[in-house]
Amino acid sequence: MWIDVSGKGSTSDAHLYNASVLREALEKNDIVGFPQPDPIPGDTEDVPYFLVGDNAFALRTYMMKPYSNKEMTRKQRIFNYRLSRARRVVENAFGILANRFQVLLSTMLHEADTVRLLVKTCVILHNLMRSRYPVMQNRLVDVERPNGVVVPGAWRAGMNLEDTKPDRLPGNNRDFKIAKAQRNLLMEWCNSTAGSVPWQDDMLLPPPARAK
């Protein structure tokens, strides 16, 4: 739906995002077609739609990130697991795109404008294939069984993509407090009868042992 093709490969995800038109538009809430807040299933309170990110990004109402790994409660660990499930969709999208058009996995020895055009073309063709031949594409995607076990999609047989080094963004204190309250609401929902999934407790890793 929206791509930004111009950053340097050595630049972190958060730095690229912070300099993007997308972040500015989200801050101003002026993206045409962006859905208005809706209640989450089983609840009546409106919650803004949001992107999912990792610790590199600043917490906002439109950007949810995991809780810090330091002394988390069970509820916070459940929330982090559920957020990671949502982020897996993003990982699948990039993985399928890059393994289908493997020029994206190599260094393109072209002029910058040509590289931008190649990447945009790959994205358009990828979207066309996903929309016109969805059944043929399903084998590429990770599948989650009813017990929570993930069956890796075919794209993972290709070359792995590397994450960039996290870079924390500065944030506005008031916005952070509002976003923090929203994340806490989502955490409570993930741990409620309305929002929980049967296997989520089984997916938690044991908390790290404290040094004596």
Side-chain angles (χ1 to χ4, degrees), residues 20-41:
S20 71
V21 177
L22 177 63
R23 183 202 60 82
E24 184 179 352
L26 287 167
E27 291 257 342
K28 295 179 179 179
N29 193 28
D30 63 357
I31 297 180
V32 176
F34 198 78
Q36 295 301 307
D38 276 323
I40 48 182

Side-chain angles (χ1 to χ4, degrees), residues 12 21 32 48 62 66 93 115 122-123 156 176 198:
S12 70
V21 177
V32 176
Y62 52 79
V115 173
C122 289
V123 170
R156 294 186 183 273
F176 176 77

Side-chain angles (χ1 to χ4, degrees), residues 88-109:
R88 190 166 64 240
V89 177
V90 181
E91 184 181 357
N92 273 248
F94 276 108
I96 293 170
L97 173 69
N99 280 280
R100 171 173 287 143
F101 303 105
Q102 297 205 4
V103 65
L104 301 176
L105 296 174
S106 61
T107 301
M108 299 187 205
L109 303 178

Side-chain angles (χ1 to χ4, degrees), residues 72-141:
M72 288 189 296
T73 66
R74 173 190 160 279
K75 287 184 176 181
Q76 290 171 338
R77 292 167 63 212
I78 290 287
F79 173 83
N80 283 3
Y81 162 66
R82 298 290 294 276
L83 195 70
S84 72
R85 291 178 71 220
R87 286 176 53 204
R88 190 166 64 240
V89 177
V90 181
E91 184 181 357
N92 273 248
F94 276 108
I96 293 170
L97 173 69
N99 280 280
R100 171 173 287 143
F101 303 105
Q102 297 205 4
V103 65
L104 301 176
L105 296 174
S106 61
T107 301
M108 299 187 205
L109 303 178
H110 306 287
E111 295 294 332
D113 286 343
T114 304
V115 173
R116 292 188 187 99
L117 181 60
L118 284 170
V119 174
K120 290 177 181 179
T121 303
C122 289
V123 170
I124 292 170
L125 291 173
H126 168 81
N127 284 349
L128 282 171
M129 294 176 73
R130 287 292 300 166
S131 60
R132 294 189 180 183
Y133 310 104
V135 176
M136 293 176 62
Q137 313 301 317
N138 287 344
R139 68 178 185 83
L140 299 170
V141 185

